């Protein structure tokens, strides 16, 4: 088997961040070297609690968890979206946590993890990009230790979700998103376009809550929470799709495109503007940076990946 890819994961756990962590922790293709937490789907303290409870719930081996920024760089932050439940993670009633976070700030943790790594690491960012922007501004030298930065955020051709124009993670901290996406580092963005493609049906979620594995039961509970909240017969794997795109890039269609984050707009603040003009110049416009964008994914393939990681191939098919 190939050597697992060493990754750092930045989260605002978050029901769908929890699904992403379940996939990342279970996948033999990844070695999770640490988890950094940031305010987003809920307040920072709750994000940390949720992350630790989740790791306890699957009896994960010790993995460093660090608390980072408790608010965006400029804005006061968006109110926690009600869809994630009152605890931000589907109100599953998980006990604990028993394990603890590091006493070190997440930005310092990320710096050390990158600096001390023998080879560049992959960053998987599933939340407002506040921690990562602070890291790049404070310790720009770590840029050379980032092999690739995957970020869930923005929209390519899809509408927004936090506002008509903007996706939640980018709208939460547009300045941070601008710093990271326009950094010139190797970035792959996983926007709302593929985010909404990979589903778990209500029936599958119900079956998963009775699975043998704790991870599958938790994932089923989270998916069921979203089905109930939206009164829908399906839920999304959401952030977990970004992890799937790291594990299995062949399942994703990508384009290379110049991007810029709208900072000054009113209704458009936090929108990701891609230069999709047919006649776009060879060179990116001023202020735009070229990144890779996932425009679509092979949903059955990523469902199979998720099912295999959770050991529920019989419950989560094509
Ligand atoms: C993103 O916002 C959060 O609500 C989710 O966890 C995901 O990272 C989707 O817009
Ligand atoms: Ca998230």
């Amino acid at each position: 088997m190939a050597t697992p890819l060493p990754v750092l994961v930045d989260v605002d756990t978050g029901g769908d961040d929890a699904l992403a962590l379940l996939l990342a922790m279970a996948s033999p293709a990844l070695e999770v070297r640490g988890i950094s937490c940031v305010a987003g789907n809920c307040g920072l303290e709750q994000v940390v609690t949720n992350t630790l409870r989740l790791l306890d719930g699957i009896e994960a081996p010790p993995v460093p968890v660090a608390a980072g920024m408790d608010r965006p760089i400029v804005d006061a932050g968006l109110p926690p979206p009600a869809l994630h439940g009152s605890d931000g993670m589907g109100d599953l009633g998980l006990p604990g946590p028993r394990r603890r976070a590091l006493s070190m700030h997440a930005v310092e943790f990320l710096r050390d993890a990158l600096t001390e790594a023998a080879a560049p690491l992959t960053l998987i960012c599933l939340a407002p990009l506040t921690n990562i922007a602070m890291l790049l501004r404070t310790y720009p030298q770590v840029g050379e230790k980032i092999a690739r930065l995957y970020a869930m955020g923005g929209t390519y051709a899809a509408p927004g979700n936090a506002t008509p124009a903007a996706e939640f993670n980018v709208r939460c901290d547009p300045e941070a998103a601008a710093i990271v996406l326009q950094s010139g580092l190797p970035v792959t963005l996983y926007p709302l376009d593929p985010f909404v493609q990979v589903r778990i049906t209500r029936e599958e979620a119900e079956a998963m809550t009775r699975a043998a594995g704790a991870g599958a039961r938790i994932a089923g509970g989270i998916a069921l929470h979203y089905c109930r909240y939206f009164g829908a017969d399906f839920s999304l794997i959401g952030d977990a799709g970004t992890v799937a795109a790291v594990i299995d890039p062949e399942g994703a269609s990508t384009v290379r495109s110049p991007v810029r984050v709208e900072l000054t707009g009113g209704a458009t603040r936090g929108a990701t503007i891609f230069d999709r003009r047919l006649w776009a110049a060879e060179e990116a416009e001023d202020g735009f940076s070229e990144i890779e964008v996932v425009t679509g994914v092979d949903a059955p393939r990523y469902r199979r990946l998720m099912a295999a990681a959770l050991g529920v191939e019989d419950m989560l098919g094509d």
Side-chain angles (χ1 to χ4, degrees), residues 12 14 16-17 41 81 83-84 126-127 152 161 167-169 192 195 239:
D12 61 338
D16 64 324
D17 300 76
N41 287 324
L83 69 127
H84 299 292
L126 307 172
M152 189 286 133
N161 58 358
E167 178 279 333
F168 178 81
N169 288 340
L192 279 180
F195 184 92
D239 283 341

Side-chain angles (χ1 to χ4, degrees), residues 254-280:
T254 60
V255 294
R256 198 165 168 77
S257 182
V259 68
R260 181 175 177 155
V261 179
E262 178 59 78
L263 299 179
T264 55
T268 56
R269 179 163 159 78
T272 40
I273 313 296
F274 288 94
D275 194 348
R276 295 190 283 128
R277 294 173 297 176
L278 292 175
W279 60 90

Side-chain angles (χ1 to χ4, degrees), residues 66-94:
M69 301 301 294
D70 67 355
R71 72 197 68 179
I73 294 174
V74 175
D75 282 347
L78 298 178
L83 69 127
H84 299 292
S86 61
D87 73 351
M89 207 180 86
D91 295 319
L92 302 187
L94 292 182

